Coordinates of all heavy atoms in Angstrom, one line a residue:
F92 N -75.3 -206.1 -11.8 CA -76.3 -206.4 -12.9 C -77.5 -205.5 -12.9 O -78.4 -205.5 -13.8 CB -76.9 -207.9 -12.5 CG -76.0 -209.0 -13.0 CD1 -74.9 -209.3 -12.3 CD2 -76.4 -209.8 -14.2 CE1 -74.0 -210.3 -12.8 CE2 -75.6 -210.7 -14.6 CZ -74.3 -211.1 -14.0
T93 N -77.5 -204.6 -11.9 CA -78.4 -203.4 -12.0 C -77.7 -202.2 -12.5 O -78.4 -201.4 -13.2 CB -78.9 -203.1 -10.5 OG1 -79.5 -204.3 -10.0 CG2 -79.8 -201.9 -10.5
D94 N -76.5 -202.0 -12.3 CA -75.8 -200.8 -12.7 C -74.6 -201.2 -13.7 O -75.0 -201.6 -14.8 CB -75.2 -200.1 -11.5 CG -74.6 -198.7 -11.8 OD1 -74.9 -198.2 -12.9 OD2 -73.8 -198.2 -11.0
L95 N -73.5 -201.2 -13.3 CA -72.3 -201.5 -14.1 C -71.5 -202.5 -13.5 O -71.4 -202.6 -12.3 CB -71.4 -200.3 -14.5 CG -72.1 -199.1 -15.1 CD1 -71.1 -197.9 -15.2 CD2 -72.7 -199.4 -16.4
P96 N -70.8 -203.5 -14.2 CA -70.7 -203.6 -15.7 C -71.7 -204.5 -16.3 O -71.5 -204.7 -17.5 CB -69.3 -203.9 -15.9 CG -69.1 -204.9 -14.8 CD -69.9 -204.4 -13.6
R97 N -72.7 -205.0 -15.7 CA -73.5 -206.1 -16.3 C -75.0 -205.7 -16.3 O -75.8 -206.5 -16.1 CB -73.3 -207.4 -15.5 CG -71.9 -208.0 -15.7 CD -71.6 -208.4 -17.0 NE -72.6 -209.2 -17.6 CZ -72.8 -210.6 -17.4 NH1 -71.9 -211.2 -16.6 NH2 -73.8 -211.2 -18.0
R98 N -75.3 -204.5 -16.5 CA -76.6 -204.0 -16.4 C -77.6 -204.9 -17.3 O -77.4 -205.1 -18.5 CB -76.7 -202.6 -16.9 CG -78.1 -201.9 -16.6 CD -78.0 -200.4 -16.7 NE -79.4 -199.9 -16.9 CZ -79.7 -198.7 -17.5 NH1 -78.6 -198.0 -17.9 NH2 -80.8 -198.3 -17.5
G99 N -78.6 -205.4 -16.6 CA -79.6 -206.2 -17.3 C -79.0 -207.4 -17.8 O -79.6 -208.1 -18.6
G100 N -77.9 -207.8 -17.4 CA -77.2 -209.0 -17.8 C -76.4 -208.9 -18.9 O -75.6 -209.8 -19.5
C101 N -76.5 -207.7 -19.7 CA -75.6 -207.4 -20.8 C -74.2 -207.1 -20.3 O -73.9 -207.1 -19.0 CB -76.2 -206.2 -21.5 SG -77.9 -206.3 -22.0
F102 N -73.3 -206.8 -21.2 CA -71.9 -206.3 -20.8 C -71.7 -204.9 -21.3 O -71.7 -204.7 -22.5 CB -70.9 -207.3 -21.3 CG -69.6 -207.1 -20.5 CD1 -69.4 -208.0 -19.4 CD2 -68.7 -206.2 -20.8 CE1 -68.2 -207.9 -18.7 CE2 -67.5 -206.1 -20.1 CZ -67.2 -207.0 -19.0
T103 N -71.5 -204.0 -20.4 CA -71.5 -202.5 -20.8 C -70.2 -202.2 -21.5 O -69.1 -202.0 -20.7 CB -71.8 -201.6 -19.6 OG1 -71.0 -202.1 -18.4 CG2 -73.2 -201.7 -19.2
S104 N -70.2 -202.0 -22.7 CA -69.0 -201.6 -23.4 C -68.6 -200.2 -23.1 O -67.5 -199.8 -23.2 CB -69.3 -201.7 -24.9 OG -70.4 -201.0 -25.3
G105 N -69.6 -199.4 -22.5 CA -69.5 -198.0 -22.3 C -68.4 -197.8 -21.1 O -67.8 -196.7 -21.0
M106 N -68.3 -198.9 -20.3 CA -67.2 -198.7 -19.2 C -65.8 -199.0 -19.7 O -64.9 -199.0 -18.8 CB -67.7 -199.6 -18.0 CG -68.0 -201.0 -18.3 SD -66.6 -202.1 -18.8 CE -65.5 -202.1 -17.5
L107 N -65.6 -199.4 -20.9 CA -64.3 -199.9 -21.3 C -63.3 -198.8 -21.2 O -62.1 -199.0 -20.9 CB -64.3 -200.4 -22.7 CG -63.3 -201.4 -23.2 CD1 -63.4 -202.5 -22.3 CD2 -63.5 -201.8 -24.6
A108 N -63.7 -197.4 -21.4 CA -62.8 -196.3 -21.3 C -62.2 -196.3 -19.8 O -61.1 -196.1 -19.6 CB -63.5 -195.0 -21.7
W109 N -63.1 -196.5 -18.9 CA -62.8 -196.4 -17.5 C -61.8 -197.6 -17.2 O -60.8 -197.5 -16.5 CB -64.0 -196.5 -16.6 CG -63.7 -196.6 -15.1 CD1 -63.4 -195.6 -14.3 CD2 -63.6 -197.8 -14.4 NE1 -63.2 -196.0 -13.0 CE2 -63.3 -197.3 -13.0 CE3 -63.7 -199.1 -14.5 CZ2 -63.1 -198.2 -11.9 CZ3 -63.6 -200.0 -13.4 CH2 -63.3 -199.5 -12.2
A110 N -62.2 -198.8 -17.7 CA -61.3 -200.0 -17.6 C -59.9 -199.8 -18.1 O -58.9 -200.2 -17.4 CB -61.9 -201.2 -18.2
F111 N -59.7 -199.1 -19.2 CA -58.5 -198.8 -19.8 C -57.7 -197.8 -18.8 O -56.5 -198.0 -18.6 CB -58.6 -198.1 -21.2 CG -58.8 -199.1 -22.3 CD1 -59.3 -200.4 -22.1 CD2 -58.5 -198.6 -23.6 CE1 -59.5 -201.2 -23.1 CE2 -58.7 -199.6 -24.6 CZ -59.2 -200.9 -24.4
A112 N -58.4 -196.8 -18.3 CA -57.7 -195.8 -17.3 C -57.3 -196.6 -16.0 O -56.3 -196.1 -15.4 CB -58.7 -194.7 -17.1
M113 N -57.9 -197.7 -15.7 CA -57.6 -198.3 -14.4 C -56.7 -199.6 -14.7 O -56.6 -200.5 -13.8 CB -59.0 -198.8 -13.8 CG -59.9 -197.7 -13.5 SD -59.2 -196.5 -12.4 CE -59.3 -197.3 -10.8
S114 N -56.1 -199.6 -15.8 CA -55.3 -200.9 -16.2 C -54.0 -201.0 -15.5 O -53.3 -202.0 -15.5 CB -55.1 -200.9 -17.7 OG -54.5 -199.7 -18.2
E115 N -53.5 -199.8 -14.9 CA -52.3 -199.9 -14.1 C -52.6 -199.7 -12.8 O -53.8 -199.3 -12.4 CB -51.4 -198.7 -14.7 CG -51.0 -198.7 -16.1 CD -50.0 -199.7 -16.6 OE1 -49.4 -200.4 -15.5 OE2 -49.8 -199.9 -17.8
K116 N -51.6 -199.8 -11.8 CA -51.8 -199.6 -10.4 C -52.2 -198.1 -10.1 O -52.7 -197.8 -9.2 CB -50.6 -200.0 -9.6 CG -50.9 -200.2 -8.2 CD -49.9 -201.0 -7.4 CE -50.2 -201.2 -6.0 NZ -49.2 -201.8 -5.1
K117 N -51.7 -197.2 -11.0 CA -52.0 -195.8 -10.9 C -52.9 -195.4 -12.0 O -52.9 -195.9 -13.1 CB -50.7 -195.0 -11.0 CG -50.9 -193.6 -10.7 CD -49.5 -192.8 -10.7 CE -49.7 -191.4 -10.4 NZ -48.4 -190.6 -10.5
F118 N -54.0 -194.5 -11.7 CA -54.9 -194.1 -12.6 C -54.3 -193.4 -13.8 O -53.4 -192.5 -13.6 CB -55.8 -193.2 -11.9 CG -57.0 -192.6 -12.7 CD1 -57.9 -193.5 -13.4 CD2 -57.3 -191.3 -12.7 CE1 -58.9 -193.0 -14.1 CE2 -58.4 -190.8 -13.5 CZ -59.2 -191.7 -14.1
V119 N -54.6 -193.8 -15.0 CA -54.1 -193.3 -16.3 C -55.2 -192.7 -17.1 O -55.6 -193.4 -18.1 CB -53.2 -194.3 -17.1 CG1 -52.5 -193.5 -18.2 CG2 -52.4 -195.0 -16.2
P120 N -55.7 -191.5 -16.9 CA -57.0 -191.0 -17.5 C -56.7 -190.8 -19.0 O -57.7 -190.9 -19.8 CB -57.2 -189.7 -16.8 CG -56.0 -189.3 -16.2 CD -55.3 -190.6 -15.8
D121 N -55.6 -190.6 -19.4 CA -55.3 -190.4 -20.9 C -55.7 -191.6 -21.7 O -56.0 -191.5 -22.9 CB -53.8 -190.1 -21.1 CG -53.5 -188.6 -20.7 OD1 -54.4 -187.9 -20.3 OD2 -52.3 -188.3 -20.6
R122 N -55.8 -192.8 -21.1 CA -56.1 -194.0 -21.8 C -57.6 -194.0 -22.2 O -58.0 -194.8 -23.0 CB -55.7 -195.3 -21.0 CG -54.2 -195.4 -20.9 CD -53.8 -196.7 -20.4 NE -52.3 -196.9 -20.5 CZ -51.7 -197.8 -19.9 NH1 -52.3 -198.7 -19.1 NH2 -50.4 -197.8 -20.0
M123 N -58.4 -193.1 -21.7 CA -59.8 -193.1 -22.0 C -60.0 -192.4 -23.4 O -61.0 -192.5 -24.1 CB -60.7 -192.3 -21.0 CG -60.7 -193.0 -19.6 SD -61.9 -192.3 -18.5 CE -61.0 -190.9 -18.0
I124 N -59.0 -191.6 -23.8 CA -59.2 -190.8 -25.0 C -58.6 -191.4 -26.1 O -57.3 -191.6 -26.3 CB -58.5 -189.4 -24.8 CG1 -59.1 -188.7 -23.5 CG2 -58.6 -188.5 -26.0 CD1 -58.4 -187.5 -23.1
R125 N -59.4 -191.9 -27.1 CA -58.9 -192.5 -28.3 C -59.8 -192.1 -29.5 O -61.0 -191.7 -29.3 CB -59.1 -194.1 -28.2 CG -58.4 -194.7 -27.1 CD -58.6 -196.2 -27.1 NE -57.9 -196.9 -28.1 CZ -56.9 -197.6 -28.1 NH1 -56.3 -197.8 -27.0 NH2 -56.3 -198.1 -29.2
D126 N -59.3 -192.1 -30.7 CA -60.1 -191.8 -31.9 C -60.5 -193.1 -32.6 O -61.0 -193.0 -33.7 CB -59.4 -190.9 -32.8 CG -58.0 -191.3 -33.2 OD1 -57.7 -192.6 -33.0 OD2 -57.2 -190.6 -33.8
D127 N -60.2 -194.2 -32.1 CA -60.5 -195.5 -32.7 C -61.4 -196.4 -31.8 O -61.4 -197.7 -32.0 CB -59.3 -196.3 -33.1 CG -58.4 -196.7 -31.8 OD1 -58.8 -196.2 -30.8 OD2 -57.5 -197.5 -32.1
W128 N -62.4 -195.7 -31.1 CA -63.1 -196.7 -30.2 C -64.1 -197.6 -31.0 O -64.4 -198.7 -30.6 CB -64.0 -195.8 -29.3 CG -63.3 -195.3 -28.1 CD1 -63.0 -194.1 -27.7 CD2 -62.8 -196.2 -27.0 NE1 -62.2 -194.1 -26.5 CE2 -62.2 -195.4 -26.0 CE3 -62.8 -197.6 -26.8 CZ2 -61.5 -195.9 -24.9 CZ3 -62.3 -198.2 -25.6 CH2 -61.7 -197.3 -24.7
D129 N -64.6 -197.1 -32.2 CA -65.3 -198.0 -33.0 C -64.6 -199.3 -33.4 O -65.2 -200.4 -33.3 CB -65.8 -197.2 -34.3 CG -67.0 -196.2 -34.1 OD1 -67.6 -196.4 -33.1 OD2 -67.2 -195.5 -34.9
R130 N -63.4 -199.2 -33.7 CA -62.6 -200.3 -34.1 C -62.4 -201.2 -32.9 O -62.5 -202.4 -32.9 CB -61.3 -199.9 -34.7 CG -60.3 -201.1 -35.1 CD -59.0 -200.5 -35.6 NE -58.3 -199.8 -34.5 CZ -57.4 -200.5 -33.8 NH1 -57.4 -201.8 -33.8 NH2 -56.7 -199.9 -32.8
V131 N -62.1 -200.6 -31.8 CA -61.8 -201.3 -30.5 C -63.0 -202.1 -30.1 O -62.9 -203.2 -29.7 CB -61.4 -200.3 -29.3 CG1 -61.3 -201.0 -28.1 CG2 -60.0 -199.8 -29.7
L132 N -64.2 -201.5 -30.1 CA -65.4 -202.2 -29.7 C -65.8 -203.4 -30.6 O -66.6 -204.2 -30.2 CB -66.6 -201.2 -29.6 CG -66.4 -200.0 -28.6 CD1 -67.6 -199.2 -28.5 CD2 -66.2 -200.7 -27.2
D133 N -65.3 -203.4 -31.7 CA -65.7 -204.5 -32.7 C -64.7 -205.8 -32.5 O -64.9 -206.7 -33.1 CB -65.6 -204.0 -34.1 CG -66.7 -203.2 -34.5 OD1 -67.7 -203.2 -33.8 OD2 -66.6 -202.4 -35.5
M134 N -63.6 -205.6 -31.7 CA -62.7 -206.7 -31.5 C -63.3 -207.8 -30.8 O -64.1 -207.6 -29.8 CB -61.5 -206.2 -30.7 CG -60.6 -205.1 -31.5 SD -59.2 -204.5 -30.5 CE -58.5 -203.3 -31.6
R135 N -63.0 -209.1 -31.1 CA -63.4 -210.3 -30.5 C -62.3 -211.3 -30.5 O -61.5 -211.3 -31.3 CB -64.7 -210.9 -31.2 CG -65.9 -210.0 -31.2 CD -66.5 -209.8 -29.7 NE -67.6 -209.1 -29.8 CZ -67.7 -207.7 -29.8 NH1 -66.6 -207.0 -29.8 NH2 -68.9 -207.1 -29.8
P136 N -62.2 -212.2 -29.5 CA -63.2 -212.1 -28.4 C -62.8 -211.0 -27.4 O -61.8 -210.4 -27.5 CB -62.9 -213.6 -27.6 CG -61.5 -213.8 -28.0 CD -61.3 -213.3 -29.5
L137 N -63.8 -210.8 -26.5 CA -63.6 -209.6 -25.7 C -62.4 -209.6 -24.8 O -61.8 -208.5 -24.5 CB -64.9 -209.4 -24.8 CG -66.2 -209.2 -25.5 CD1 -67.3 -209.0 -24.5 CD2 -66.2 -208.1 -26.5

């Protein structure tokens, strides 16, 4: 709640790229790179 992912009680969308890269047991950095992040961040529910 001081840093990430809940800074100030909000939910940090900026860490989503990292979460995508950590979605497998092995780190997949290519999953951070997308050209549709605007669309992804508008999806609900989270």
Side-chain angles (χ1 to χ4, degrees):
F92 283 74
T93 299
D94 188 18
L95 301 177
R97 294 296 310 278
R98 188 167 162 202
C101 308
F102 200 94
T103 46
S104 54
M106 50 66 60
L107 206 58
W109 179 84
F111 278 22
M113 302 299 287
S114 57
E115 304 284 351
K116 196 168 185 183
K117 186 174 182 178
F118 183 52
V119 190
D121 289 350
R122 290 193 176 166
M123 292 190 286
I124 303 169
R125 303 180 68 107
D126 58 11
D127 65 344
W128 276 115
D129 279 346
R130 181 182 66 86
V131 170
L132 295 181
D133 287 339
M134 294 174 179
R135 294 294 182 278
L137 299 183

